[in-house]
Amino acid sequence: MCPLCDGARFVRVTADPDSPDFGRAVPCRCTQREDDRERQARLLRYSRLGALARFTFDTLLPRGRSTRRDAQERYAHAVEAARRFAGHPEGWLVLTGVPGCGKTHLAAAIANHVIANGEPALFLSVADLLDQLRASYDAAAEVPYERLIEQVRTAPLAIFDDLDAYSATPWAREKFYQVVSYRFHAALPTVFTCDAPPEEIDPRLGARLTDPALSQVFVLERRAAPRYSHIGAMTRDRLGTLTFETFDPRGHGLRGKQRESLESAFQAARRWAEAPDGWLVLLGQTGCGKTHLAAAIANHRLDAGDAVCFANVPDLLDELRATFAPGAAERFDAAFTRLREVPVLVLDDLGAQQSSPWAEEKLYQMLNHRHLGRLPTVVTTNCELSKMEPRIASRLADLQVSNVHEITAPDYRLGG
């Protein structure tokens, strides 16, 4: 008996012996609804969504939580793409953006929509998956490793949340990459979420996740770049003490051409700080005031709202080399691009670096890019241009782009 309608659990469709359905027993409507619920329950258990079962398209904010208009537009665009994907899962969908921008909610909404349509979806955080794979090696594991890895690799729809947890250990990286590579070659519908762009997490993984033939990548909200960054000892606190107001353009009683060169450089630095155009190159011996003037410019541009990077050149090259190390916090391409594109770049102490073909080539590439774009750049050096790498010297001396000032004042630390 059906517990919902007190009728027979199965009923005859028709009593007409001539009907093709004569004699077939089918569930009553109550039982059909009950089976749908059971199927939904089974699919939810399989999905491992847990508390995320409440995250649906109906409960998300259509334009996200950000108050920035560009982020709201990005989010709305991603929601539209996620709805299309949920209606017809095909290919890969990569959702990236700052923590809290709604990536997990959107990924869970896809899973819930698919389940509501009666299809399976597997939702796993990458950290949980790696923990389960480690535990599956235990002889007493509920699900052995071979069965678990096969389930994840071949799931009709898999959603991997928080991809940034992927690079925990070499073993974890390799196992997860095997899963991703299998699904890539089989073109199985997959959704990924991550805070950082996928190519910054791991180059191999990034190549798979950004393949335009399979994958759609949506940036919900970009991480706001810090207004001030530094490479070397010029912290923000230290920079704040080196202003035009704390600079003595008379050089503690200098006279003649030495004083004239210092005052001329001071005035040029102030003019450039007011309206940056091309490059400002400050030449002079150690302690003549070049770094103070460069820092004063940086302070002025920060007050004007620009993003500024102050980089000591030897430290900069050391940092770029470090990006090639396993487990580096930032990949070389990302670090190099950030330096090339920053609105205002200060390169302090150019020429003090240990010269090598690699160092000269990277400096040339950076300077050539900024030279071609006339990107605001301040360079300080105590080297004669004629003794620098010719391609770099040529760009520093280009009067179409560079405003070059030589300071002949002595080292103020030594009292002249």
Side-chain angles (χ1 to χ4, degrees), residues 216-285:
Q216 300 178 77
V217 180
F218 291 89
V219 181
L220 276 65
E221 185 175 355
R222 296 187 186 279
R223 179 178 284 104
R227 287 271 314 288
Y228 179 69
S229 58
H230 67 97
I231 301 174
M234 190 60 76
T235 64
R236 186 67 181 89
D237 288 342
R238 172 62 177 152
L239 186 84
T241 67
L242 301 175
T243 67
F244 288 118
E245 289 69 32
T246 60
F247 187 87
D248 181 5
R250 296 169 299 180
H252 303 297
L254 289 177
R255 297 178 182 275
K257 292 185 177 180
Q258 291 182 339
R259 178 169 171 173
E260 289 177 9
S261 72
L262 191 60
E263 289 180 337
S264 176
F266 176 78
Q267 294 301 330
R270 293 207 72 148
R271 289 193 298 272
W272 195 93
E274 290 289 344
D277 181 27
W279 294 8
L280 179 67
V281 179
L282 301 174
L283 308 174
Q285 66 171 294

Side-chain angles (χ1 to χ4, degrees), residues 229-380:
S229 58
H230 67 97
I231 301 174
M234 190 60 76
T235 64
R236 186 67 181 89
D237 288 342
R238 172 62 177 152
L239 186 84
T241 67
L242 301 175
T243 67
F244 288 118
E245 289 69 32
T246 60
F247 187 87
D248 181 5
R250 296 169 299 180
H252 303 297
L254 289 177
R255 297 178 182 275
K257 292 185 177 180
Q258 291 182 339
R259 178 169 171 173
E260 289 177 9
S261 72
L262 191 60
E263 289 180 337
S264 176
F266 176 78
Q267 294 301 330
R270 293 207 72 148
R271 289 193 298 272
W272 195 93
E274 290 289 344
D277 181 27
W279 294 8
L280 179 67
V281 179
L282 301 174
L283 308 174
Q285 66 171 294
T286 299
C288 70
K290 308 183 303 297
T291 297
H292 191 143
L293 288 176
I297 291 170
N299 276 303
H300 195 90
R301 294 318 306 166
L302 285 168
D303 290 342
D306 283 345
V308 177
C309 177
F310 195 108
N312 174 272
V313 173
D315 291 330
L316 181 153
L317 291 170
D318 285 345
E319 186 161 304
L320 288 179
R321 291 186 188 96
T323 61
F324 292 102
E330 188 175 24
R331 289 181 56 231
F332 172 80
D333 291 346
F336 195 66
T337 299
R338 175 170 53 83
L339 291 165
R340 290 196 314 174
E341 304 293 347
V342 67
V344 178
L345 175 63
V346 178
L347 292 175
D348 190 39
D349 217 3
L350 179 65
Q353 71 276 3
Q354 289 291 325
S355 185
S356 70
W358 181 88
E360 299 289 359
E361 186 61 29
K362 294 309 166 190
L363 280 174
Y364 166 71
Q365 290 174 0
M366 182 185 304
L367 289 168
N368 185 54
H369 176 86
R370 298 188 70 85
H371 178 267
L372 290 173
R374 292 182 63 93
L375 299 176
T377 307
V378 178
V379 177
T380 77

Side-chain angles (χ1 to χ4, degrees), residues 7 35 79 105 107 123 125 132 157 168 199 207 217 224 232-233 267 282 286 293 333 388 390 401 405:
D35 285 349
V79 169
H105 190 142
F123 189 105
S125 79
Q132 291 171 26
L157 169 62
E199 60 272 16
V217 180
Q267 294 301 330
L282 301 174
T286 299
L293 288 176
D333 291 346
M388 288 189 179
V401 175
H405 281 267

